[in-house]
Amino acid sequence: MITFMNNSDSEEEPCNERTSLMSAESPPVPSYQDSLPASEAGEAQAHRKRRAGSSRSPNNIAGGEMSGSGVPVRESALENEEEELTLKYGAKHVIMLFVPVTLCMIVVVATIKSVRFYTEKNGQLIYTPFSEDTPSVGQRLLNSVLNTIIMISVIIVMTVFLVLLYKYRCYKFIHGWLILSSLMLLFLFTYIYLGEVLKTYNVAMDYPTLFLVIWNFGAVGMICIHWKGPLQLQQAYLIMISALMALVFIKYLPEWSAWVILGAISIYDLMAVLCPKGPLRMLVETAQERNEPIFPALIYSSAMMWTVGMAKPDTATRGPSHQTWDAAEDGRDHHRSPSHTDSRISETRSPVPTRPVTSLEELEEEERGVKLGLGDFIFYSVLVGKAAATASGDWNTTLACFVAILIGLCLTLLLLAVFKKALPALPISITFGLIFYFSTDNLVRPFMDTLASHQLYI
Amino acid sequence: YGLFLFTIARDPLRIIILIAGAFFWLVSLLLSSLIWFIAVKASDPRDERLQKGLLIFGVMFSVLLQEAFRFLYYKLLRKAIEGLVALSEDGCSPISIQQMAYVAGVGFGLMSGAFSMINLLADALGPGTVGIHGDSQLYFLTSAFMTMVLIFLHTFWGILFFHGCEHRRWWEIMAVVVMHLTVSGSSFCNPLYVGSLVPSYLLMAAAAAWAYLLSGGSAQNLRRFLLCK
């Protein structure tokens, strides 16, 4: 099993790396807020990058674009409205992201607490070759740092590879890898997960039933994620695969390595998205230049775009009717259409220069969506799951990490509203989470235990 | 939990304020346990009385820190309200300071309740006998009641505290702090439960009435509500 997984890991590797770099939607307006932490495809165990894409408000530049297309009068009015609406809807978007992150974490924590399999140590990934069963603390620390260096360098290589592929337009290749990864995730990992859960609860299931269940689950999942499907089903599937990946990470990463990796990933995220030469930033800019949508299945999106009000049966608006993400092919087709409606962002008010004014107003009632990369989900869940698995303070630590991550997410989204450009979603949350984990485990736990044993209340 | 569902889950802004409130409580707890930890490490672990004394000191300090953080949170929320007012279309904030006070109180309460209860609940799921070593058999029950009263109290204190800050009535703020200290102090009487539960409930009733009056209610409203007019 493990060797098999490792093999498939190596297969998945390139896939994940490549798919991770999603260009945030490419509206015709260059400025759009996407939080793009390093985004990795979520499939294989190894590397995920996450991006929080916030398809929030068009901003002043959006207004500027529109003027260029000849709707000058509405511009300034729209600008202001849009800004206000952005921040007004801000709370709603934050909640729209809170809910899936919370759900993912709940699934992971519930599984960790109940299914023994995920807390047993059964080997390590090939990406973390150094074992942590060493006698001395220094040796263990050294091993975990080496593990981290290896993992991060693999991630960097993959990311750069993905950026190069994207730059040279090898879309078929990328999509093939993506589909392969999600296939493996949906079928293999679900099979393992289901097997373990059934074992834990001592429920017998015969192979034909199992086959039927997993086949249905996987097939619907593939369709939903890569093609079209009801938004909530898509969201549910993405949450499930993020949880599965997080569980695999929790199981196969040795303890100290996991914490060091979490820290290193958030630093990497910060640099990859914000530095001018960072691979993710280059990817975003390339995608923006080409006005292309994000790859499907790597970004969680929280809202739909309604084009019901559109009078013209454009190719541009027909496609994105339900999804906030479409297959890139669809997106590309859409984007080549002259009206440049972005299939991803729910705010289509900006990219509709040729549209009559009335349809703009209809569009204004659309929901705006916020996008977060799947890797973010995974690493948040890894943090909380590790806290649940290894902390001796049990639920207190888990709860503390959970609140810390949510607050970090809030702050990130706030910064997004302020800066209006791609931002990494990992650093703040992971930093808070790590601080709270270590401090709660070591400081708060003895205090609370003593209080509880005397039944004192503060 | 019912409070949460009916009053807070509707509005996303309130949820954010709730989580932020919980966060602030958590930070205050962190700092207070840091202090206690340092004190314990610096002292002699074998001296029982000293340990108990340190514990009491830790509890009091924690209470004071919690109130301090409530004040900080109030300041933050004031700034946030100004921001929200500036952004809204019709010049008034989508959420009033009283609602914020309520939500902040609930946030604090939930977090403190969760931290007090959740390990207990997890243990309660497993096998065992309550009070087998001579401790009180009512441990779980009293813990549950105490936690509940504390959650409610935090909510009411939130309202009172914010109201006091708004209108610059320092005696209200002092009253909240004193009440909190009293409740925590009364829990020192455990396991003599009469000493802790009864005063806490009385204080809660008083705080509830006070908060209700401050929020604009009156005896008339209450009567009308109860008689479903």
Side-chain angles (χ1 to χ4, degrees), chain A residues 18-36:
Chain A
R18 242 164 278 131
T19 44
S20 59
L21 295 175
M22 306 315 279
S23 41
E25 29 259 294
S26 36
V29 279
S31 59
Y32 64 111
Q33 326 49 354
D34 273 280
S35 295
L36 300 175

Side-chain angles (χ1 to χ4, degrees), chain B:
Chain B
Y1 191 56
L3 264 182
F4 174 71
L5 274 184
F6 286 126
T7 58
I8 293 184
R10 295 282 168 75
D11 187 7
L13 201 54
R14 296 190 202 171
I15 296 186
I16 298 181
I17 299 180
L18 179 88
I19 305 268
F23 180 69
F24 271 77
W25 186 88
L26 202 60
V27 174
S28 85
L29 180 67
L30 204 73
L31 287 178
S32 47
S33 55
L34 178 67
I35 305 281
W36 178 80
F37 192 73
I38 295 178
V40 165
K41 284 295 178 203
S43 70
D44 183 8
R46 281 179 302 272
D47 189 352
E48 274 296 324
R49 282 202 49 103
L50 183 62
Q51 294 298 315
K52 190 111 203 279
L54 275 181
L55 197 63
I56 296 181
F57 162 71
V59 167
M60 293 302 164
F61 192 72
S62 167
V63 167
L64 291 174
L65 261 184
Q66 277 179 43
E67 299 302 324
F69 269 84
R70 213 196 290 268
F71 183 67
L72 282 177
Y73 194 42
Y74 164 75
K75 283 257 175 263
L76 184 72
L77 284 181
R78 287 291 291 157
K79 291 228 180 77
I81 273 205
E82 287 161 19
L84 281 176
V85 166
L87 287 173
S88 74
E89 290 175 342
D90 46 0
C92 63
S93 155
I95 186 169
S96 74
I97 190 77
Q98 282 101 351
Q99 288 177 342
M100 279 192 177
Y102 167 68
V103 175
V106 174
F108 268 56
L110 272 183
M111 206 57 191
S112 90
F115 261 65
S116 311
M117 271 308 277
I118 201 146
N119 275 333
L120 223 60
L121 285 173
D123 285 337
L125 281 177
T129 315
V130 183
I132 197 168
H133 283 266
D135 296 317
S136 161
Q137 283 186 338
L138 295 170
Y139 188 71
F140 282 143
L141 265 185
T142 48
S143 302
F145 277 116
M146 194 68 191
T147 311
M148 186 179 82
V149 86
L150 206 60
I151 296 179
F152 277 128
L153 274 175
H154 269 292
T155 315
F156 299 134
W157 286 335
I159 300 180
L160 294 173
F161 195 88
F162 278 41
H163 186 260
C165 289
E166 280 286 304
H167 299 267
R168 302 253 173 275
R169 292 199 203 145
W170 303 114
W171 60 276
E172 279 187 9
I173 303 178
M174 285 316 295
V176 169
V177 176
V178 165
M179 261 201 273
H180 197 168
L181 281 175
T182 321
V183 169
S184 290
S186 71
S187 69
F188 287 134
C189 304
N190 285 337
L192 183 67
Y193 292 123
V194 174
S196 67
L197 276 181
V198 172
S200 309
Y201 271 90
L202 288 176
L203 273 178
M204 182 184 90
W210 194 0
Y212 182 66
L213 287 173
L214 279 184
S215 313
S218 66
Q220 279 181 344
N221 280 351
L222 197 60
R223 213 180 299 132
R224 254 190 270 148
F225 169 71
L226 284 175
L227 298 177
C228 289
K229 287 238 172 61

Side-chain angles (χ1 to χ4, degrees), chain A residues 398-435:
Chain A
T398 313
L399 205 56
C401 288
F402 170 68
V403 172
I405 288 181
L406 284 187
I407 293 291
L409 194 61
C410 243
L411 283 176
T412 311
L413 289 173
L414 196 70
L415 285 180
L416 190 71
V418 169
F419 285 116
K420 299 199 203 308
K421 59 176 205 157
L423 284 183
L426 275 190
I428 300 180
S429 288
I430 300 271
T431 315
F432 276 0
L434 286 177
I435 294 177

